């Protein structure tokens, strides 16, 4: 084997099933090694799509994908979605090509400090020193990515280490990583708080918002009267009928503070206390009321399921059943498109086991609250705030779960960052419904202009930096040009019909929701 073959074989041996790739000259031997039938390779036309797709894959599989990025500039193109993935505790293995050692001394044009670019957003960075070390490097990278919480591992692959002889070294698959048990003293402290009867909110994140952990949290809420909440953005929530419902802490400072003002205690599981997304003049950074106490129940690297079992034992709630979300049959909305009619259309159309990727802060602001009683589905949010996240993450999620329809809700401004995702969806025939909310502006910035105290009216020059209507983007033409059947809707009933039609489709579809 050469080094590239050893790398791909080791990744496959360690359970990595897919590589989202945008290769260049330095990665040709890795490209040849991807002929390995155990590794699915997926071409993405921009590195930010590669890293976002790897994020979506992990959120649905709980196991890392790999990416293939071309030198330092390719890594730089992918960093925004690596940032989002890191904030969501996603495991990811990035393979970054590099010039061969003998060529670097001549300072060729694409030379850059790859380690310097990778380190701020990676938990682990290594440059392969020889072809014979690559198997060990790759196995270590996957083990790191598989930790809890998930980690970003970046392996730099010089060209000569890819083409040189690697020998026949094989490594056993790493055992599944364990998760730390929470401290018993913390369990007892929180049990005392919940027994007191004081108002309390248990805030869930990461693995605590799904599976058995969520069901156990529901039993705690039912038995103590505490409420269950999540930060406004959460990596993945299992929700809908038959699941334990979670309240969402509002995004904006004023409603977020109002939501939290009556709680005497905030209890956190795999997250921290709620904080404003930005600093605003004369507004607080922390959303809790003065005097509210914060109790860390489960740290980020601990086992929420075990913590909730311990808490249930401490509270004597073994026989308590959780309160589950009831079905809410949402009528098909009629008439004008607005945040409420849009949310009703989605609630009525969501198929069972749908994956909903939400990057629609302005138009989609009502969607989470009004889809609580929809059929069971998973909701994925952007944890890092860097836009251009939705369509790549939906691509990776659909690749991970091709038997489930994915709805991707995204604003038109954000969609333009990584619209290349549509091409990959068409090529792979992925079951993704991309919903473009076309208001022809960065609408969130209009609100933030006032929130920041920049002025009561937006001047023409400032508005020109927010308005994306001149020239107007034709989303139907855009989707069609990349092989995705596309249509435009102007009413709520047409939007609902387009959604239900897409559920029956075999591959991707795009719906432009024309808002004005």
């Amino acid at each position: 084997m050469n080094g590239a073959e050893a790398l791909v074989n080791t990744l496959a041996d360690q359970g990595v099933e897919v590589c989202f790739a945008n290769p260049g000259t330095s990665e040709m031997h890795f490209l040849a090694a991807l002929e390995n039938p155990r590794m699915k390779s997926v071409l993405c036309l921009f590195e930010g799509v590669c890293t976002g797709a790897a994020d979506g894959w992990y959120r649905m599989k709980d196991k890392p994908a790999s990416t293939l990025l071309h030198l330092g500039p390719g890594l730089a193109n992918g960093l925004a979605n690596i940032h989002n993935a890191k904030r969501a505790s996603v495991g990811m293995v990035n393979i970054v090509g590099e010039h061969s050692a003998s060529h670097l001394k001549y300072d060729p044009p694409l030379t850059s400090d790859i380690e310097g670019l990778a380190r701020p957003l990676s938990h682990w960075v290594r440059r392969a020193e020889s072809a014979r070390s690559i198997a060990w490097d790759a196995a270590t990278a996957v083990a790191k990515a598989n930790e809890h919480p998930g980690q970003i591992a970046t392996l730099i692959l010089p060209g000569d280490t890819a083409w040189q002889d690697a020998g026949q070294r094989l490594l056993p698959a790493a055992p599944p990583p364990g998760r730390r048990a929470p401290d018993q003293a913390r369990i007892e402290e929180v049990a005392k708080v919940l027994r007191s009867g004081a108002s309390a909110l248990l805030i869930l994140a990461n693995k605590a918002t799904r599976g058995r952990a969520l069901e156990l949290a529901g039993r705690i809420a039912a038995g103590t009267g505490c409420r269950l909440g999540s930060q406004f953005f959460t990596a993945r929530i299992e929700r809908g009928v038959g699941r334990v419902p979670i309240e969402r802490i509002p995004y904006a400072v004023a409603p977020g503070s109002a939501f939290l003002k009556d709680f005497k205690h905030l209890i956190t599981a795999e997250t921290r206390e709620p904080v404003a997304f930005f600093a605003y003049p004369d507004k607080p950074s922390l959303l809790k009321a003065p005097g509210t106490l914060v109790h860390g129940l489960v740290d980020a690297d601990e086992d929420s399921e075990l913590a909730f079992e311990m808490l249930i034992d401490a509270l004597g709630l073994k026989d308590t059943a959780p309160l589950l979300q009831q079905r809410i049959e949402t009528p098909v909305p009629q008439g004008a498109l607005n945040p409420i009619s849009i949310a009703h259309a989605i609630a009525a159309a969501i198929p069972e086991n749908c994956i909903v990727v939400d990057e629609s802060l302005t138009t989609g602001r009502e969607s989470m609250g009004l889809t609580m009683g929809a059929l069971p589905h998973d909701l994925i949010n952007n944890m890092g705030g860097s836009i251009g996240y939705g369509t790549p993450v939906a691509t990776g999620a659909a690749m991970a779960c091709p038997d489930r329809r994915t709805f991707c809700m995204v604003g038109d401004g954000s969609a333009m960052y990584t619209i290349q995702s549509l091409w990959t969806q068409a090529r792979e025939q992925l079951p993704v419904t991309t919903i473009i909310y076309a208001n022809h502006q960065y609408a969130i910035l209009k609100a933030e202009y006032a929130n920041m105290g920049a002025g009561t009216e937006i001047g023409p020059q400032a508005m020109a930096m927010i308005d994306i209507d001149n020239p107007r983007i034709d989303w139907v033409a855009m989707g069609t040009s990349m092989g995705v059947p596309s249509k435009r809707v102007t009413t709520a009933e047409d939007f609902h019909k387009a959604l239900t039609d897409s559920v029956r489709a075999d591959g991707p579809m795009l719906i432009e929701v024309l808002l004005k």
Side-chain angles (χ1 to χ4, degrees):
M1 291 187 291
N2 63 27
E5 291 165 337
L7 174 54
V8 171
N9 272 308
T10 303
L11 291 174
D13 288 343
Q14 304 300 314
V16 177
E17 301 174 25
V18 64
C19 179
F20 296 101
N22 188 276
T25 301
S26 301
E27 295 82 47
M28 290 298 101
H29 287 83
F30 188 97
L31 205 62
L34 285 174
E35 294 295 330
N36 189 322
R38 296 189 298 151
M39 177 74 75
K40 169 75 174 175
S41 54
V42 180
L43 177 61
C44 304
L45 301 186
F46 176 64
E47 292 89 345
V49 177
C50 297
T51 54
D55 180 345
W57 173 277
Y58 180 89
R59 301 229 198 166
M60 297 311 301
K61 284 278 196 179
D62 283 326
K63 58 193 299 187
S66 67
T67 69
L68 177 62
L69 311 173
H70 181 45
L71 304 175
L75 172 61
N77 281 340
L79 283 177
N81 275 327
I82 293 175
H83 161 80
N84 289 331
K86 185 179 182 183
R87 296 294 299 193
S89 299
V90 162
M92 182 185 302
V93 177
N94 297 310
I95 309 299
V96 184
E98 171 64 297
H99 295 298
S100 65
S102 62
H103 194 54
L104 275 174
K105 64 185 177 182
Y106 300 112
D107 190 28
L110 279 167
T111 301
S112 63
D113 180 3
I114 299 177
E115 287 94 339
L117 289 168
R119 199 163 282 117
L121 293 176
S122 300
H123 299 89
W124 179 95
V125 180
R126 177 165 292 149
R127 177 182 292 260
E129 297 297 335
S130 75
R132 291 179 179 264
S133 73
I134 283 179
W136 186 87
D137 292 336
T140 306
V142 177
K144 189 67 179 176
N146 268 320
E147 289 183 7
H148 175 78
Q151 308 281 289
I152 307 295
T154 300
L155 177 61
I156 302 166
L157 181 66
D160 49 354
T161 65
W163 69 61
Q164 290 169 354
D165 177 40
Q168 296 295 323
R169 184 180 183 189
L170 298 176
L171 298 172
R179 295 170 63 178
R180 285 201 310 123
D183 180 63
Q184 183 66 42
R186 270 185 279 137
I187 301 293
E188 295 297 338
E189 176 194 347
V190 170
K192 183 178 179 181
V193 167
L194 293 175
R195 279 194 294 264
S196 74
S199 57
L201 178 70
L202 175 54
I203 305 174
L204 310 178
N206 203 12
K207 301 294 196 296
T209 59
R210 49 195 170 93
R212 177 164 167 76
L214 178 58
E215 186 266 338
L216 292 170
R219 291 167 61 183
I220 293 167
T224 66
C226 79
R227 285 160 63 183
L228 299 181
S230 72
Q231 306 279 8
F232 188 81
F233 298 114
T234 305
R236 176 182 161 197
I237 300 177
E238 291 180 350
R239 61 198 305 271
V241 63
R243 269 104 181 246
V244 172
I246 308 175
E247 300 178 74
R248 190 184 203 184
I249 299 170
Y251 172 87
V253 173
S257 298
F259 179 88
L260 295 172
K261 68 180 178 62
D262 294 327
F263 291 108
K264 300 301 182 185
H265 300 276
L266 302 180
I267 302 164
T268 60
E270 298 194 55
T271 187
R272 297 178 179 178
E273 67 172 286
V275 59
F277 223 70
F278 298 101
Y280 298 92
D282 303 319
K283 293 182 180 180
S285 291
L286 298 178
L287 300 184
K288 70 175 185 289
T292 299
L293 300 177
V294 179
H295 311 268
L297 176 63
V298 189
D299 287 343
D301 62 343
E302 293 178 341
D303 188 332
S304 287
E305 184 177 328
L306 176 58
F308 297 156
E309 288 174 344
M310 293 166 68
L311 186 56
I312 284 171
D313 284 343
L315 292 167
L317 298 177
K318 286 186 176 181
D319 297 325
T320 302
L323 299 177
L324 302 179
Q325 177 65 53
Q326 299 300 304
R327 179 74 166 111
I328 299 174
E329 294 286 352
T330 305
V332 176
Q334 305 289 313
L337 290 163
N338 55 56
I340 292 177
S341 67
I342 285 170
H344 283 155
I346 293 168
I350 286 177
E352 188 167 2
N353 292 324
C354 185
I355 302 166
V356 179
V357 179
D358 186 5
E359 191 182 14
S360 58
L361 189 57
T362 304
T363 305
R365 64 182 179 269
E366 303 289 346
S367 296
M368 185 167 177
L370 295 177
T371 55
M372 289 290 290
L375 293 176
H377 61 279
D378 287 69
L379 176 69
I380 292 175
N381 290 135
N382 183 355
M383 298 287 288
S386 179
I387 67 175
Y389 140 96
T391 58
V393 167
T395 302
M399 182 69 68
C401 302
D403 57 334
R404 301 170 63 176
R405 173 59 56 168
T406 296
F407 282 1
C408 176
M409 305 185 296
V410 59
D412 49 1
S414 182
M416 282 300 293
Y417 277 58
T418 45
I419 197 60
Q420 304 93 330
S421 307
L422 297 179
W423 185 89
T424 299
Q425 292 172 16
R427 184 185 229 209
E428 301 292 335
Q429 279 299 286
L430 298 177
V432 179
T433 303
T434 300
I435 303 161
I436 305 288
Y437 296 130
N439 55 20
H440 315 294
Q441 56 188 283
Y442 293 114
I444 185 64
L445 295 183
K446 293 179 71 175
E448 294 295 74
Y449 192 89
N451 290 339
M452 277 291 185
T456 55
E457 295 186 8
I458 305 178
Q461 287 290 77
M463 191 62 201
M465 298 297 100
I466 296 174
D467 185 1
I468 59 172
D469 196 37
N470 182 23
R472 177 166 287 203
I473 300 163
D474 185 338
W475 287 101
V476 172
M478 179 81 77
T480 302
S481 74
M482 296 197 206
V484 176
S486 305
K487 70 180 302 180
R488 181 178 294 116
V489 298
T490 58
T491 67
E493 56 266 38
D494 285 348
F495 178 41
H496 175 266
K497 183 178 185 304
L499 286 171
T500 56
D501 287 347
S502 77
V503 171
R504 294 189 290 269
D506 292 329
M509 288 190 67
L510 180 145
I511 303 168
E512 178 185 0
V513 180
L514 187 63
L515 295 173
K516 65 174 186 177

